[in-house]
Amino acid sequence: TATAGAGWFDRRGWVQGDPCKNFWTGVTCRFQSVVRLELAQNNLKGPLPSSISALTDLEVLDLSGNQLSGPLPANVTHLRALRQLVLTNNSLTGLPDDLSALECLWHLRAARNALAAIPATLGQMFRLRTADLSYNSIASPIPPLSNMPRLETLQLQRNAIP
């Protein structure tokens, strides 16, 4: 199973039927569409499957405090309704290059991973208010941030930014 589902701490409902009708743990629905996926500290392991992009109405994705690894799938940028992306405390190695395609995103937390670079398009994220990329292995320069009028907090401490 993707992300080692059999070893999740809480996987109630995840092996049967529709996530909205069967009340899957960590899933919130609105009008039969998944809008929140909150599986923080649930022992998820390995790469995040690219099938995450099928959740086209997803607004909140919180996978913090797990053991996710590898880069975030590039097609996560298809989640055009996503407002909050919380990936803190995993072992992720990269974010999609075209992160700015997430036009509704206003909250990005990916601290305490193994990220090596800041996506160049970060500076084009018009609605982004909070970005926490602290405690990673980022060694790339900070992209221009002039197209981010709503940015309130940018945390980059404990990296190797030149």
Side-chain angles (χ1 to χ4, degrees):
T1 306
T3 65
W8 292 6
F9 295 138
D10 188 350
R11 59 187 181 105
R12 283 175 288 163
W14 276 80
V15 292
Q16 47 188 299
D18 183 280
C20 297
K21 292 178 182 173
N22 294 330
F23 305 106
W24 292 8
T25 297
V27 174
T28 303
C29 296
R30 184 183 315 123
F31 304 115
Q32 296 304 306
S33 291
V34 176
V35 293
R36 298 176 74 99
L37 184 57
E38 298 168 291
L39 296 171
Q41 300 177 1
N42 201 28
N43 203 36
L44 280 68
K45 296 179 181 179
L48 187 64
S50 61
S51 57
I52 191 79
S53 67
L55 301 175
T56 56
D57 294 322
L58 196 64
E59 297 174 2
V60 176
L61 178 59
D62 183 352
L63 303 174
S64 59
N66 285 292
Q67 298 174 50
L68 296 172
S69 58
L72 202 61
N75 67 353
V76 78
T77 59
H78 297 170
L79 301 174
R80 300 298 166 106
L82 196 63
R83 294 181 294 122
Q84 297 181 50
L85 179 58
V86 185
L87 303 167
T88 305
N89 288 321
N90 280 288
S91 297
L92 296 168
T93 57
L95 297 173
D97 290 334
D98 192 20
L99 202 60
S100 65
L102 297 173
E103 294 177 358
C104 293
L105 194 70
W106 60 269
H107 185 76
L108 170 64
R109 296 187 60 94
R112 299 186 185 273
N113 277 284
L115 302 177
I118 300 172
T121 61
L122 181 76
Q124 299 168 19
M125 299 185 74
F126 184 77
R127 287 186 175 86
L128 196 65
R129 293 182 186 166
T130 304
D132 184 357
L133 302 175
S134 60
Y135 295 89
N136 277 288
S137 303
I138 297 172
S140 66
I142 301 170
L145 305 176
S146 57
N147 288 332
M148 301 180 77
R150 295 187 174 122
L151 187 65
E152 297 171 1
T153 305
L154 176 61
Q155 295 180 310
L156 295 170
Q157 66 269 25
R158 300 290 183 163
N159 280 293
I161 298 170

